[in-house]
Every structure is written in C-alpha cells, then in structure tokens.
Amino acid sequence: PASSLPRRAFLSTPLAVGLPFLLSPSPALAFGSKLKDINARLSAYGLPQMPPPASGFSPLLEMYGSGPNREAMLVEFVHPSDWVVTRPSNDVNGEDGTVQAGDYAKGDTATFFVYEHEPVDVEKADKDFLGEVLQKAISQKGSNVYQNFKVVKSSLSTHDGRPYAIVDFKYELLTGAGFEVGRRGVASVCSEGRSVQALWCATVDARYKKVGEGLRVSAESFRVYADGVEG
C-alpha cells in the first residue's frame, strides 16, 4: 500500500476541509495497477480491454461494492503515476469509502461518486441534472462546504455503446478556517446498473492551468461496469 504520509500532510491544510477522501485501514478487493492484470480481469468478465495509458499516467481498476450494502461495480480510470490511491474499506457493517486518487497535499483529486438516483439516459441529461450530480458529490460532508457552483460546459462521448457526459465545472470551497478556495475541474457522468455514477477530478484555481489537462485525461478515461459484476 502507498504511504499515508501525503494524506496526513494534506489533513493539516485548509484544503482538506470538505474534500471526500477516506483513509482505508482495511482495503477492499483491489485489482492493482498493472495493465496486464487489469485486462486479464476485464477479460474474465467479458469486458473491453483497457488501452495503455498516456506517458506519466497509471491505469486503475477497482471493485466498488464488495460489501452487501452496495451495488457491485468495476471502476476504471487512469491517474498521474505519482498520485496516491485510496480504496473502499469493509467491516461488519459493510463497505464504506470510495475509489479515489490524488496528490492530496496539493489539492488534486479524482473521486468516484455514486448518486443514488434512478438510472437516467445520459444522452438526454441536461446541465441542470449534471450539475445536481456533481453538487451531490461535492457536498457529501454537508451543503455548507461550497458555494457558487457552476457547470461551465458539457459534451457527450460514447464508449462501447455507453454514453458518458464530460462536464467542466467550478466552485468555491468553504474551509473551516474561514477561507474561500476556488476550485475547477472536469468530471465524467454515466448511469450503469441501478444508479448514476461520476468521476469528478478537481484542483485549486491556481493549479488548473498546470494540471487541468491531466484531470481531463483522467475524466475521459473513466468507465463503469455494473451488469454481471459481483462483489
């Protein structure tokens, strides 16, 4: 497992307030980051192969929902190779936490989110609905942790017949120290199985020019598979 030192350092910064990651003392089933192993797992499910990631990125395939309290899904995306990965944890009460990768000390994150909403046709989803999904993701720790959320633009892509909405967004994070931190990001929204899912990738305004394209690479690589998947 990756060292938790970057995450502990991040906890001491104002940016830690309101960001949805969990330290995972008991990792759920993890398929690892080697592309060969990932594609072997995908083949076992009869799913499309994951292409080699761009230079500087690592592939990730994780099981979400290995506990009885969640719908099982395979979550796939790429992330910068120096990012730390966190995973759901399981105990007697079921599964908790999510799949996330990030450079936590700098405020760069890519977070998987499940919106417990009836399945939707993403091809017909408007900006209002896409914004609703992302605001639910941002506000998991409370609706008072952000303000001035805006969907900047959205577009549609299709992979293996499955639609994904690519959404550029921005908002202000309200920290416990009283600061307002501007954040920008790119998300991918889809609807597989019995819910709606998103991978939302964000950073602080000051870093967006430097890392924004990397966030977009992560968002555009996002895939979710629910049909026939068992935790």
Side-chain angles (χ1 to χ4, degrees), residues 54-221:
S55 177
F57 287 80
S58 294
L60 182 67
L61 179 70
E62 293 291 337
M63 177 70 76
Y64 176 96
S66 58
N69 58 322
R70 289 175 166 176
E71 180 183 11
M73 306 176 200
L74 286 175
V75 180
E76 170 190 313
F77 62 94
V78 303
H79 59 83
S81 298
D82 59 350
W83 281 15
V84 174
V85 175
T86 59
R87 301 174 173 89
S89 60
N90 279 279
D91 58 25
V92 294
N93 297 314
E95 184 177 275
D96 193 19
T98 191
V99 181
Q100 186 185 55
D103 186 340
Y104 299 112
K106 296 175 181 176
D108 307 342
T109 54
T111 308
F112 177 62
F113 172 69
V114 176
Y115 184 22
E116 297 298 342
H117 185 286
E118 63 184 14
V120 302
D121 183 348
V122 172
E123 290 182 303
K124 298 178 180 178
D126 58 19
K127 279 188 176 182
D128 288 342
F129 179 76
L130 298 174
E132 176 183 326
V133 175
L134 295 179
Q135 288 180 82
K136 290 289 186 182
I138 293 168
S139 64
Q140 289 182 82
K141 294 184 180 294
S143 59
N144 61 343
V145 299
Y146 77 98
Q147 65 183 13
N148 297 328
F149 175 89
K150 181 181 180 180
V151 170
V152 177
K153 64 179 180 178
S154 65
S155 61
L156 191 69
S157 63
T158 303
H159 303 281
D160 301 302
R162 294 173 160 90
Y164 290 78
I166 306 299
V167 187
D168 287 60
F169 63 95
K170 62 181 181 179
Y171 66 99
E172 293 175 355
L173 179 69
L174 305 177
T175 73
F179 297 108
E180 298 173 2
V181 181
R183 287 179 64 80
R184 295 181 61 184
V186 186
S188 179
V189 179
C190 64
S191 184
E192 297 291 329
R194 302 191 300 270
S195 58
V196 177
Q197 305 86 31
L199 183 76
W200 62 288
C201 310
T203 188
V204 295
D205 283 350
R207 286 180 55 75
Y208 188 79
K209 185 175 181 179
K210 179 179 181 179
V211 304
E213 283 308 307
L215 299 180
R216 191 174 303 279
V217 168
S218 293
E220 291 181 347
S221 71

